[in-house]
Amino acid sequence: MAASSRIPPKIRAAVLVRDGFACVAPRIDGQCGQCRDLWGHPIMRWPQRDRGPEFLQMSHEKEDGELSMSLKATPTLQHLVTLCPQHHTGAVAGGVWEVQNRDRIRRWLLEKYPAPLKDVEA
Ligand SMILES: [Zn+2]
């Protein structure tokens, strides 16, 4: 199965709708700190639309045991979560939140979506 780092627009849209057009980090980790945009400004509100990767990015989460055939997991709904730039790649005191919390993100996805979801047609 060929995995691509490019996320089809329809899948991005479906993940954003599922996650309420908001970073999921505060729902997973109450101590995750402030969500921030690409410029480091705090995100105070979440308009219900896609404002672009400057505000919301997609994080690919591999399933346990998935072979590292590619750098990214297959871009399907159950492999993707919405994160603000701060929680996706922003460096904070202890490191990058997404990297430190991959297991928690995976568990959150499994709890929220225990059954395989039908993939959105790209
Ligand atoms: Zn965030």
Side-chain angles (χ1 to χ4, degrees), residues 7-24 27 46-53 55-58 77 80-84 113:
I7 298 165
K10 282 186 179 177
I11 291 181
R12 176 179 168 89
V15 173
L16 286 171
V17 167
R18 185 199 68 191
D19 294 340
F21 294 93
C23 175
V24 302
R27 282 170 262 177
W46 304 99
Q48 295 298 292
R49 59 187 167 81
D50 186 356
R51 293 196 291 166
F55 295 91
L56 290 172
Q57 303 177 342
M58 297 282 135
L77 288 177
L80 293 164
V81 290
T82 305
L83 291 176
C84 68
Y113 308 102

Side-chain angles (χ1 to χ4, degrees), residues 7 24 46 48 67-68 70 76 88 92 95 97 99-100 121:
I7 298 165
V24 302
W46 304 99
Q48 295 298 292
L67 292 173
S68 298
S70 66
T76 59
H88 190 202
V92 289
W97 185 88
V99 174
Q100 294 178 324
E121 293 289 329

Side-chain angles (χ1 to χ4, degrees), residues 4 20 23 26 41 46 55 58 81 86-87 89-90 103 106 113:
S4 168
C23 175
H41 301 130
W46 304 99
F55 295 91
M58 297 282 135
V81 290
Q86 172 72 11
H87 288 121
T89 56
D103 286 344
R106 263 189 225 112
Y113 308 102

